[in-house]
Each structure stands twice: as structure tokens, then as C-alpha cells.
């Protein structure tokens, strides 16, 4: 233990041992007391103290070392899941957790949860179990347990993918009520098939060698979306980006999705504009006596644009455009309309 120049007290732990020549040597064990105890036990070839094998220790390390490496949204979601996992497993010895206990946790969460962060209760429970599985895998790597992952083989709650499809009447109604920057965002989202967060970060410098280059936030997948077709003609995406670049703005912006004043949109300002346009479109439909259309307009969310893009092109192309390595994901989660086929005769 020593006091640093900043005034803070630093505490570290060392193993006081000897090398092969019998010379005394100090081996650093880190600054975490429980991790130091566990490593001391390994060096002494003794069983680790019981308190070093509880899930709280593993959760602490996972929260400290792993979660900060993830995307901000994933960090928030993981911390929310970890809160509930800790309430049940914090004091449990890691080797006492079995598949049966995981299944009991799944069922209890399903019955108690009303859903959080916009997710239904069964979906939320699934996310918590998935996180617990990764925490366990990391615990194996760190040496806290040699047991097989108890989550493996435990059934997840059944999830029903969202199936709303924004058809032409719904799309045109909201698009017609949208401000120019929202129209740009809707067009760019539809033509690229990317997630909203990836659309908002697209900028002029991403255009390279006749393509829009991007790296998806969630998967880190890299894509090059061509701005010209095989004949050399401009694609719809190329035409859109040309239109945005040619539009005068009070202040130049590197970002494609920006206000006429040059201020780039973020997730909140995009959400506000979309909500306003959707509300205006629904009111207009109601005023015209089309209550069914108004109902479908109100069900439309900006995130439905990516599935619309996937639904309105062939499966192979949609899978590549969305950045999926497995077509089944595109088919199951993002395709919102059935395949077009000819009749028997």
C-alpha cells in the first residue's frame, strides 16, 4: 500500500515466493483482494477460498473488464440485465449453478416481468440468460470454474418477431408529412437497409471509389454500397446522395442527415421528427375518414424501414445489404411480406 502523488491510496497484493534458485521473489497478484486470494491458492496448490468462487466476484470482474468494451447501447442493456441476475445469483457459488436452476430463473422472470426498455417479459428474460451464458464463458477463461456452461441446452422463451410492414399508403402518408431532413433519413435508411444509428453517422467522407463505405456499429461488418450500376448509370442511392450534396445549407455539414442549418440529427431529434410526421399523417387520414390507414400509420416505427428494405428485394440481395452472414436471420426477422410466386397454372 502506498499513497500516490495525487493523494489517492494505492493497494496491491503480492505473493512472496522463491524462484528455482531459492531466491526470494515477489509475484504481483493484482489489486483485487478476491482475485489475489484465488491466484495465491493456485501458486500454493491449495483450494481457492470459498468467498472467491461466488458469482458476485465474477459479475464484478465482468462489469469492470468486459462491459466497457461494448457499444454504449449494449452496455446499458447489459447493466440492466446484470442487475436482475445479481439479485438472484450474486451470493451463489459458481459451481452450484445447474441447468435446472437456470430454467427456474427463466420461468420466474417470465411470470414476474412486465417488460422493460420496450421488450416483452419473455424477451427480456432471454436476454438475461444470454448474458449469463457469456459471463460463464468468461469465468471459465479466467479460471473461476472448469464446469460446462449450465445455460447450454436450456430452452429460451419463444419470441415472436415484429411483423409490421410499411406498405406504400403508410410510407407515402408519413413521407409526405415529413420535413426534408426526415425524408432524407427515410430514403437513406430504405436504400441502404442499415440500422438507424448507422444511417445517422453516414457522411461525405464515406464515399470512396464510387461506393458508400460503412462499418456497422453492432456487428462491425464492413460494406461497400455502389453508387453506380453495372451500366454506369447512377443508382437510386447515388441520386439521393447527389441531391443531398447539391442542396444549399446555411452551414456545411459532413453528415448526410442534417437540418437545412447544417446541424446533424441524432437519435432523439430523428425520433421527434418522425413522431411528429407520423402524428400529422394519422390525423390527416382520420380527417379523410380512413381510420384503418390511420391505425396502421400510428403503428409505423422508424425501425420498420430496414425490414421494408429487406422485404422489397430478393432474399440473397437483402441478406448481403443488411450485412447478415445467415440468410435465415433475414428471412425470419426482417422479411415482412411473403415471397412472390406464380400460381399452379
Amino acid at each position: 500500500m502506498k499513497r500516490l502523488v495525487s493523494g489517492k491510496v494505492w493497494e496491491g497484493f503480492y505473493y512472496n515466493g522463491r524462484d528455482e534458485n531459492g531466491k526470494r521473489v515477489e509475484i504481483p497478484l493484482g489489486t483485487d483482494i478476491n482475485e489475489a486470494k484465488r491466484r495465491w491458492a493456485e501458486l500454493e496448490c491449495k483450494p481457492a477460498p470459498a468467498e472467491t468462487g461466488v458469482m458476485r466476484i465474477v459479475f464484478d470482474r465482468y462489469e469492470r473488464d468486459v462491459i466497457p468494451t461494448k457499444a454504449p447501447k449494449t452496455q446499458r442493456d447489459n447493466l440492466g440485465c446484470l442487475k436482475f441476475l445479481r439479485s438472484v445469483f450474486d451470493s451463489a457459488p459458481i459451481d452450484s449453478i445447474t441447468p435446472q436452476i437456470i430454467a427456474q430463473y427463466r420461468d420466474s422472470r417470465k411470470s414476474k416481468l412486465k417488460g422493460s426498455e420496450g421488450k416483452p417479459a419473455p424477451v427480456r428474460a432471454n436476454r438475461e440468460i444470454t448474458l449469463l451464458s457469456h459471463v460463464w464463458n468468461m469465468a471459465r477463461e479466467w479460471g473461476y470454474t472448469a464446469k460446462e456452461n449450465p445455460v447450454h441446452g436450456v430452452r429460451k422463451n419463444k419470441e415472436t418477431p415484429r411483423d409490421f410492414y410499411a406498405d406504400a399508403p403508410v410510407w407515402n402518408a408519413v413521407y409526405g408529412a415529413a420535413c426534408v431532413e426526415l425524408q432524407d433519413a427515410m430514403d437513406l435508411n430504405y436504400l441502404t437497409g442499415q440500422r438507424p444509428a448507422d444511417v445517422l453517422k453516414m457522411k461525405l467522407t464515406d464515399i470512396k471509389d464510387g461506393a458508400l463505405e460503412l462499418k456497422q456499429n453492432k456487428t462491425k461488418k464492413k460494406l461497400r454500397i455502389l453508387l453506380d450500376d453495372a451500366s454506369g448509370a447512377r443508382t437510386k442511392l447515388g441520386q439521393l446522395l447527389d441531391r443531398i450534396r447539391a442542396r444549399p445549407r446555411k452551414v456545411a455539414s459532413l453528415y448526410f442527415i442534417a437540418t437545412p442549418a447544417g446541424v446533424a440529427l441524432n437519435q432523439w431529434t430523428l425520433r421527434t421528427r418522425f413522431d411528429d410526421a407520423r402524428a400529422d399523417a394519422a390525423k390527416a387520414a382520420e380527417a379523410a375518414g380512413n381510420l384503418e390507414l390511420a391505425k396502421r400509420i400510428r403503428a409505423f416505427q422508424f425501425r420498420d424501414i430496414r425490414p421494408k428494405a429487406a422485404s422489397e428485394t430478393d432474399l440473397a440481395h437483402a441478406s448481403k445489404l443488411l450485412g447478415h452472414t445467415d440468410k435465415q436471420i433475414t428471412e425470419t426477422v426482417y422479411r415482412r411480406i411473403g415471397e412472390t410466386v406464380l400460381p399452379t397454372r
Side-chain angles (χ1 to χ4, degrees), residues 179-231:
C179 59
V180 65
E181 59 266 31
L182 177 57
Q183 290 181 344
D184 290 342
M186 292 175 68
D187 284 337
L188 191 55
N189 199 166
Y190 175 74
L191 292 171
T192 64
Q194 301 306 302
R195 298 176 182 84
D198 292 322
V199 170
L200 290 175
K201 72 176 186 179
M202 293 177 183
K203 50 191 177 182
L204 290 170
T205 52
D206 294 329
I207 297 178
K208 300 173 184 176
D209 299 324
L212 176 65
E213 296 188 352
L214 60 94
K215 181 179 181 181
Q216 295 180 335
N217 282 344
K218 183 176 181 179
T219 64
K220 309 306 178 186
K221 176 86 173 184
K222 293 182 179 180
L223 292 173
R224 297 184 72 253
I225 307 178
L226 298 176
L227 304 183
D228 298 302
D229 60 24
S231 68

Side-chain angles (χ1 to χ4, degrees), residues 307 310-315 318 330-337:
S311 301
E312 297 182 358
T313 186
D314 68 83
L315 179 59
T330 314
E331 176 71 31
T332 304
V333 180
Y334 290 94
R335 301 277 278 188
R336 302 286 172 84
I337 56 176

